[in-house]
Amino acid sequence: VLPHGATVECPVPAVVFVHGSGPNVRDETLGPNHLFRDLADSLAAAGIASLRYDKRTYVYRAETAALSGGRLDYDLETVDDAVCAIELLRHTAGIDPQRIYVVGHSQGAMLAPRIAARSGKAAGCVMLAAPARTLDVLLHEQLRHLASLGGMTAEEADSTADSMWNKLPADYRAMASAYDPVV
């Protein structure tokens, strides 16, 4: 989304939106909410451009790991595409290449510092609802919370979390376990 008046002569700052966990569309749709679309519209009204894209695991679904040689981890799922998005914005007319920021939500927020470091070109990060725990711990916490709202016991929540965790590719689990979001 380019704000009115963004030109080569008058470049504007920009953000790259980075999704949370799971297969997400460019709008980061959560129930009736379209978080990234709404933020993009508000930022444009304030003179800030933004780039949203459908997440690789949404576009390619089950083929994601196969398309990457059987591997899947945070970099292949999220980081690599966000780094490419920063590079694309750097070469987009009307964008100030010195004022490109990473805006991540949930898992995207957790990975925003990694994205900025890998790019070497991001001016900064904005982290929305960034988790401070590893994914295996988060799965249990989130499902236990949902269980407390009704419909599932704590034991069923733990079993579901374990099942979800074990369905992830081994390299994804390894990186998710080793990636400390606080450091």
Side-chain angles (χ1 to χ4, degrees):
V1 176
L2 284 172
H4 180 69
T7 65
V8 173
E9 298 79 25
C10 187
V12 297
V15 303
V16 171
F17 286 111
V18 184
H19 318 80
S21 62
N24 288 295
V25 296
R26 71 191 71 217
D27 292 337
E28 185 79 345
T29 302
L30 301 166
N33 303 304
H34 304 280
L35 178 65
F36 288 170
R37 183 195 65 196
D38 295 343
L39 286 171
D41 290 345
S42 295
L43 288 170
I48 301 168
S50 62
L51 177 62
R52 314 186 312 270
Y53 52 92
D54 293 333
K55 194 171 179 183
R56 183 184 299 212
T57 51
Y58 176 77
V59 175
Y60 297 109
R61 305 258 175 188
E63 299 92 8
T64 302
L67 291 170
S68 56
R71 292 181 40 241
L72 184 63
D73 58 23
Y74 285 156
D75 290 338
L76 289 163
E77 177 194 34
T78 302
V79 175
D80 295 346
D81 292 339
V83 169
C84 288
I86 292 167
E87 193 59 25
L88 176 67
L89 281 176
R90 291 186 67 245
H91 300 287
T92 300
I95 302 298
D96 181 345
Q98 303 301 312
R99 296 188 295 161
I100 298 172
Y101 297 84
V102 177
V103 176
H105 174 248
S106 190
Q107 181 180 341
M110 176 182 77
L111 295 171
R114 183 180 185 90
I115 293 162
R118 284 263 313 276
S119 165
K121 304 295 182 184
C125 302
V126 177
M127 298 167 28
L128 308 171
R133 293 164 306 289
T134 58
L135 180 59
D136 53 331
V137 172
L138 283 172
L139 280 173
H140 283 273
E141 289 178 357
Q142 289 175 347
L143 289 172
R144 284 181 187 167
H145 172 71
L146 292 174
S148 74
L149 300 176
M152 187 185 302
T153 67
E155 294 78 21
E156 290 170 326
D158 284 340
S159 176
T160 301
D162 289 338
S163 175
M164 291 171 71
W165 177 255
N166 290 325
K167 287 179 182 174
L168 293 170
D171 46 348
Y172 194 97
R173 290 192 314 263
M175 184 176 210
S177 294
Y179 187 79
D180 184 348
V182 178
V183 174

